[in-house]
Amino acid sequence: MACYVDSVREYPDAGLRFTRFCHLLADTPDELHDLADRLGIPRRFYQDHPWRWHHDLPEHLRPRAVELGAVEVTLRQVGELLRERRRRIA
C-alpha cells in the first residue's frame, strides 16, 4: 500500500490561495487521510469521487509528502492507478 504525488502544475484560475498544485493519491482512502492529516490538510479539502478521490496538494507541501513516504509518479502512472480503481468499482 502506498501514497503518491504527481508533478506540480499551474492552476491560475483555481480561485484559491495557492495556484501551483499536484495530486495526492493513495491505494486506500484511509492511507490518503492519514498522510493528509500528517501534512495538516483539512478533511474538508478531500475531493470525494467514486474512483478519482484525492487531495490537491499545494506545491510547498509536496517535498514533505515525499519525506513522509509518498511515491513520486508520472501522469501516466496516475492514469493507470485511476483506471485500476475504476475497474474495481465496475
Side-chain angles (χ1 to χ4, degrees), residues 5-74:
V5 290
D6 63 3
S7 57
V8 174
R9 291 186 303 253
E10 184 78 32
Y11 296 91
D13 300 323
L16 301 170
R17 180 176 168 195
F18 303 105
T19 60
R20 294 181 53 81
F21 294 90
C22 65
H23 297 103
L24 177 64
L25 305 107
D27 290 332
T28 68
D30 287 339
E31 289 174 306
L32 179 65
H33 291 313
D34 178 61
L35 185 54
D37 290 345
R38 291 190 285 151
L39 291 167
I41 300 171
R43 291 270 174 113
R44 69 181 180 272
F45 294 130
Y46 173 64
Q47 295 189 34
D48 194 7
H49 181 276
W51 53 273
R52 286 188 319 232
W53 43 268
H54 70 282
H55 276 285
D56 288 337
L57 188 66
E59 179 178 37
H60 71 278
L61 291 177
R62 190 180 187 280
R64 181 69 180 138
V66 172
E67 285 176 14
L68 292 172
V71 177
E72 297 175 280
V73 294
T74 65

